[in-house]
Amino acid sequence: RQMCIRDRYQRRVRGHLCIAMVWPKCAVALVCSLLVNLAMVGAQSPTDCHDWPNTCPGVTPRAPYKQTWLMNLSTIIMPCNNTGYTDPSSTLGWGIVDFDWSNGKGTGTADGWAKHKPMDDEEMLFKQVQITTNATPGTTVWVYRNTVYGYPWYTSVRKTLEDPAYAPWYFKFAGKGPWYSKKCDAVDPTLCSDLYHSQEQSPGYPHGDGDCAAPRCDCGEVPCGFYIWNHSSTVIVNNQSFQDWFVHDYVLNEVGTSPLVSGFFWDDVWNPECNIHDQVPHTCEDMGLTQQDLAQLTLDYRKNMGALREATLSAGKFAWQMMWTGGDPYSIGGTGLGPLVDSQNLSLIHI
């Protein structure tokens, strides 16, 4: 069977003990069995636990989550079927089912959001949530949201990319080039954007990471690609700051606030080294970011993530990155499967 797991997980998994499970029709899941409800870290954070990425050891999800001794309810699976919706029977019994953005993408001849005009990944993710919760009542379902890259195949993001008023919320290509990434669509050279974007993991026509239908990929009025938000932007658009939009109109929008959605996977990070994950070569150079820019951007990103965490907890929801997964008790949860308790951290654990 073909392995459809996304490149980002192939790179991360190699350094960890993880399990990749191949389901029928090439639905692949990265499986991390996390006993997060059983193991509570007793150490106190050396800094304010509201400062992202400190995850506040000992802090548990708020209602409606409850601690449990049922082992299967302390597990999480992140499935991704590139050729259609994930069959709910394949995730039956898992405590949390967290759907990736590539789910239902439509590779090869299979239908999927990459072939739709315009692309509707956000809507199809919510449809997957509805399918799963209807088939297996009581299943806890989470959805994917990136915190660095703006995907134009998400309708909420595409609307801001198409409106010039929101341009300050994104980084632009710096200077006159040449740049590593291309401004214009590979098939339609007249479709261009000055907003920085790469083609990392992007659908393409006739083939890409997701295969578009003729005559080209349709991400609306902008080329498809990974756009990058400027978390340092202070520009107010339609009486709304970037942080307010990021928290309430992007993550906790009508999908994120649905009672069927219980949490999220918040992907990627900002740091002064520009190691933001999934970037192509010369990403920060193409945007003209200096070390001072990166340092300030990292601080502002963490402020926005801190606001997002508090809003998410207040809404009774949770996120993968807030879980302790056996690593640094003060950092975000990882995606690699490994022992939660070992000789190095035993003194920090009490059940």
Side-chain angles (χ1 to χ4, degrees), residues 113-146:
W113 55 260
K115 292 181 173 63
H116 297 169
K117 300 187 180 301
M119 297 184 189
D120 55 354
D121 185 10
E122 198 169 17
E123 290 80 5
M124 286 190 65
L125 268 181
F126 188 52
K127 179 64 175 179
Q128 177 71 73
V129 171
Q130 295 172 310
I131 291 173
T132 302
T133 54
N134 288 339
T136 54
T139 299
T140 299
V141 181
W142 294 3
V143 293
Y144 178 100
R145 291 293 185 268
N146 202 291

Side-chain angles (χ1 to χ4, degrees), residues 29-37 61 65-66 68 70-79 90-99 132 136 138-143 260-265 317-321 323:
L30 175 69
V31 181
C32 293
S33 179
L34 306 170
L35 305 182
V36 293
N37 291 328
Y65 288 95
K66 296 180 180 179
T68 178
L70 294 176
M71 295 292 285
N72 72 299
L73 295 184
S74 294
T75 60
I76 187 168
I77 183 173
M78 192 171 188
S90 67
T91 56
L92 185 65
W94 288 89
I96 300 172
V97 182
D98 185 3
F99 287 105
T132 302
T136 54
T139 299
T140 299
V141 181
W142 294 3
V143 293
L260 301 181
V261 174
S262 301
F264 309 93
F265 187 96
K317 302 176 189 290
F318 212 62
W320 185 306
Q321 284 65 31
M323 296 191 297

Side-chain angles (χ1 to χ4, degrees), residues 13 40 50 53-54 57 71 73 113 137 157 186 188 205 261 280 291 333:
V13 167
M40 301 305 299
H50 292 91
N54 297 318
M71 295 292 285
L73 295 184
W113 55 260
V157 175
D188 182 0
Y205 177 80
V261 174
V280 300
Q291 281 302 122

Side-chain angles (χ1 to χ4, degrees), residues 41-51 53-57 328-331:
V41 181
Q44 295 298 313
S45 173
T47 56
D48 185 352
C49 70
H50 292 91
D51 291 340
N54 297 318
T55 54
C56 309
D328 183 349
Y330 307 114
S331 188

